[in-house]
Amino acid sequence: MHFKKNILCIGAGYVGGPTMAMIAFKCPQYRVTVVDINPERISQWNSDRLPIFEPGLDEVVQACRGRNLFFDTDVEKGIREADIIFVSVNTPTKTFGAGSGMAADLQYWEKTARQIRNCAESPKIVVEKSTLPVKTSLAMERILTSDGDQIYFDVLSNPEFLAEGTAIHDLEEPDRVLIGSHKTERALEAREALVEIYANWVPRERIITTNLWSSELSKLVANAFLAQRISSINAISALCEKTEADVSEVARAIGMDSRVGDKFLRASVGFGGSCFKKDILNLVYLCRFYGLIEVADYWEGVVRINDYQKDRFVLNMLNAMFNTLAGKKICLFGFAFKANTGDTRESPGIFIARELAEERAELAITDPKALDNARIDLADLGEQIAYVEDPYDAAEGSHAVAILTEWDLYRDLDYERIHGSMEKPAFLFDGRNVVDHRRLFEMGFNVFPIGKAPLTHF
Ligand code: NAD
Ligand code: UGA
């Protein structure tokens, strides 16, 4: 079969894998290859057990793998053959040197840029898919053209807005696709080549174009705004607990104002995930770099409130359980950073498990998809933690259950049975407000929701 163009994606992670699978699925006329330096990840993409759990992903991959979707470890060959190269490598927070703990670590990204330059034998369109600090594409252009301009590279910014757990839906029906480019004739042609790909399934009016810097910055700002809403409602949840207001009622009342909207107002144990914290810290670092101290402090507050919310959750547990957790068994329902994913990066569960272990509690952790990652995250805690598939087994004999992830499964469990198997008094801390608090209270639980008055038998 002759393909219209060859697309390459460097980085077969949570973004590279699903986005390229969707492009291949919707555009059979393109040949899509995804490469990674991690051979294990590539062999998982080529197997029946994909490296990430994402509802609907298996079906999309199965429909086009081997047809026009390929996973490979040969990055250099991939570069040589490609017309369009998406770069979707990880850009974590820097852990060393200047900007440690704040700035983006661009080493993986820069290695990729150099590799593209060194291997390319023909002009390429290079698309930044990773989330990067504003102005990174300028650095990318400089690296790509540092070899005496023999080969022409067009650099575009096309940040990804999918959320884990709903990635396939988000890719299939995106609110918008954002493409940033220069405005030269050549750059506009490159932009059109990318628009043409998405236009196979995304309505044209949802494909928006901007200059390169607006596109890069919009991605950081989108995550900062989303996280800000969660920190805002979480801050109010603390006030609700002091005043007998109910945070769900407050969220509903404010969310019905069409200027506010009702999404991302669920009070919780705190937001997690690989990007919110990293991207806000990156934004804060950029603002400080440009001398905008007040702006930096403003956004840093979003992360501070999130840390406060996680701390508060553990302190509430400690206070409620008579100020000692030593030797008590505590069961955590959920460890993924949100429902419908096995991802645990920056999950509040990691922090909470560690704090509870510090208090010398014994922990049983259960989660339908994230136990493998939990074992890795908490490996150093050894015997203090049991990883249990079945939630009923996990809860048996415990003094408290804490719900940390909003899996549907936890709404519908037989809580009478769970209560019957627990030590008394039995405590339930609902870090996601997913269970029927009054009903559980009537069964005998002492119930501590987020942002609502506790229901206790004392
Ligand atoms: P990830 O860690 O899951 O995947 C990145 C992959 O890149 C890894 O498999 C790694 O081995 C590979 N890689 C690193 N250097 C490489 C190189 N030189 N050559 C080939 N492969 C290389 O990361 P992710 O979650 O997919 O995120 C990727 C980017 O997308 C980040 O910038 C992130 O901020 C952004 N993003 C992530 C999400 C999300 O939901 N996870 C959503 C939107 C945007
Ligand atoms: C987020 C954004 O939603 C995506 O648009 C973006 O592409 C992505 O980050 C990224 O850049 O990585 P994701 O982190 O996968 O996606 O998941 P979200 O649904 O945003 O949830 C993030 C965290 O916020 C989770 O821990 C979730 O439980 C929490 N959350 C979300 C709340 O506590 N309350 C809410 O109302 C919503």
Side-chain angles (χ1 to χ4, degrees):
M1 158 122 193
H2 181 72
F3 291 103
K4 178 172 176 165
K5 274 189 183 137
N6 284 332
I7 295 175
L8 176 75
C9 176
I10 304 183
Y14 284 86
V15 169
T19 47
M20 291 305 122
M22 185 56 71
I23 289 178
F25 184 63
K26 297 289 186 184
C27 314
Q29 68 277 33
Y30 291 86
R31 185 180 205 276
V32 182
T33 307
V34 190
V35 292
D36 204 290
I37 36 169
N38 180 343
E40 202 188 320
R41 230 179 193 184
I42 291 299
S43 69
Q44 286 174 315
W45 279 110
N46 280 322
S47 76
D48 288 338
R49 204 160 178 249
L50 301 183
I52 60 176
F53 168 72
E54 193 59 58
L57 177 64
D58 284 25
E59 291 80 351
V60 174
V61 170
Q62 265 160 29
C64 41
R65 195 174 52 194
R67 176 190 79 183
N68 66 330
L69 175 66
F70 302 90
F71 294 93
D72 207 317
T73 47
D74 194 340
V75 184
E76 299 194 348
K77 175 164 166 274
I79 293 171
R80 279 194 304 275
E81 291 177 354
D83 303 298
I84 301 177
I85 303 177
F86 288 83
V87 180
S88 186
V89 300
N90 37 330
T91 51
T93 304
K94 217 176 154 190
T95 54
F96 55 89
S100 178
M102 299 289 285
D105 182 348
L106 298 176
Q107 60 171 311
Y108 308 102
W109 166 86
E110 188 179 318
K111 271 189 202 123
T112 312
R114 287 177 190 279
Q115 203 173 13
I116 294 173
R117 182 198 63 193
N118 294 340
C119 301
E121 293 165 355
S122 58
K124 316 276 174 203
I125 296 173
V126 180
V127 185
E128 288 179 351
K129 195 51 141 168
S130 301
T131 303
L132 293 160
V134 57
K135 292 271 165 170
T136 302
S137 48
L138 187 63
M140 184 148 219
E141 281 171 349
R142 287 191 176 143
I143 293 170
L144 290 172
T145 53
S146 62
D147 230 4
D149 290 344
Q150 287 139 355
I151 298 176
Y152 202 91
F153 296 95
D154 289 290
V155 178
L156 302 174
S157 161
N158 172 222
E160 184 49 58
F161 295 102
L162 68 79
E164 288 175 33
T166 53
I168 294 302
H169 167 268
D170 298 342
L171 288 167
E172 197 149 29
E173 287 175 45
D175 286 347
R176 78 313 208 177
V177 167
L178 175 59
I179 301 175
S181 73
H182 289 308
K183 294 289 181 299
T184 62
E185 205 175 312
R186 224 200 125 99
L188 294 179
E189 256 175 52
R191 184 181 87 182
E192 189 50 32
L194 189 54
V195 169
E196 212 186 306
I197 295 175
Y198 285 109
N200 280 286
W201 78 98
V202 181
R204 285 255 172 179
E205 64 276 13
R206 291 199 174 203
I207 305 176
I208 58 172
T209 55
T210 63
N211 78 30
L212 273 170
W213 328 128
S214 305
S215 173
E216 290 178 327
L217 185 58
S218 298
K219 174 61 200 178
L220 292 183
V221 174
N223 275 356
F225 267 60
L226 290 168
Q228 179 204 43
R229 287 173 67 95
I230 304 168
S231 278
S232 297
I233 200 70
N234 280 345
I236 297 304
S237 75
L239 184 58
C240 287
E241 286 167 32
K242 298 278 185 216
T243 58
E244 290 177 52
D246 177 323
V247 76
S248 304
E249 293 180 351
V250 174
R252 179 157 174 256
I254 59 168
M256 280 176 76
D257 186 325
S258 58
R259 293 167 303 177
V260 177
D262 61 357
K263 306 242 169 61
F264 269 67
L265 288 178
R266 273 182 289 113
S268 68
V269 62
F271 62 73
S274 62
C275 293
F276 277 177
K277 184 175 173 193
K278 134 177 121 61
D279 292 349
I280 295 171
L281 292 177
N282 189 341
L283 184 66
V284 170
Y285 184 75
L286 278 169
C287 293
R288 293 237 161 88
F289 175 82
Y290 288 109
L292 305 172
I293 305 306
E294 287 79 1
V295 185
D297 290 347
Y298 174 76
W299 287 107
E300 199 166 26
V302 173
V303 176
R304 269 204 306 276
I305 287 289
N306 199 49
D307 290 340
Y308 165 76
Q309 189 75 348
K310 292 185 280 186
D311 258 336
R312 224 165 63 74
F313 189 77
V314 177
L315 284 177
N316 275 347
M317 290 179 79
L318 182 62
N319 288 343
M321 294 174 73
F322 320 114
N323 292 309
T324 174
L325 301 177
K328 290 182 180 168
K329 180 177 167 191
I330 296 178
C331 171
L332 304 185
F333 275 10
F335 200 75
F337 80 96
K338 65 184 283 197
N340 300 317
T341 178
D343 194 356
T344 59
R345 291 179 291 178
E346 293 291 338
S347 177
I350 300 176
F351 173 84
I352 288 163
R354 288 192 176 281
E355 290 291 296
L356 294 174
E358 189 77 13
E359 290 293 335
R360 310 215 170 145
E362 284 171 29
L363 301 182
I365 300 179
T366 183
D367 188 290
K369 293 287 173 194
L371 284 189
D372 287 347
N373 280 331
R375 280 191 193 91
I376 298 168
D377 295 330
L378 303 174
D380 55 302
L381 296 181
E383 298 290 294
Q384 214 176 341
I385 305 199
Y387 303 91
V388 186
E389 294 281 341
D390 182 78
Y392 296 102
D393 293 345
E396 193 175 343
S398 57
H399 295 252
V401 166
I403 302 176
L404 302 189
T405 312
E406 72 283 18
W407 287 102
D408 279 344
L409 158 80
Y410 300 138
R411 278 175 229 273
D412 305 324
L413 292 174
D414 179 351
Y415 281 96
E416 293 270 12
R417 178 178 160 197
I418 290 173
H419 183 260
S421 76
M422 287 173 66
E423 289 289 328
K424 306 297 178 313
F427 291 85
L428 187 128
F429 298 90
D430 187 355
R432 297 288 183 166
N433 287 344
V434 289
V435 291
D436 183 336
H437 300 135
R438 167 104 354 229
R439 202 168 68 84
L440 266 63
F441 167 69
E442 281 162 9
M443 282 175 201
F445 279 105
N446 296 293
V447 183
F448 292 78
I450 297 274
K452 299 169 196 260
L455 299 167
T456 67
H457 297 281
F458 307 122

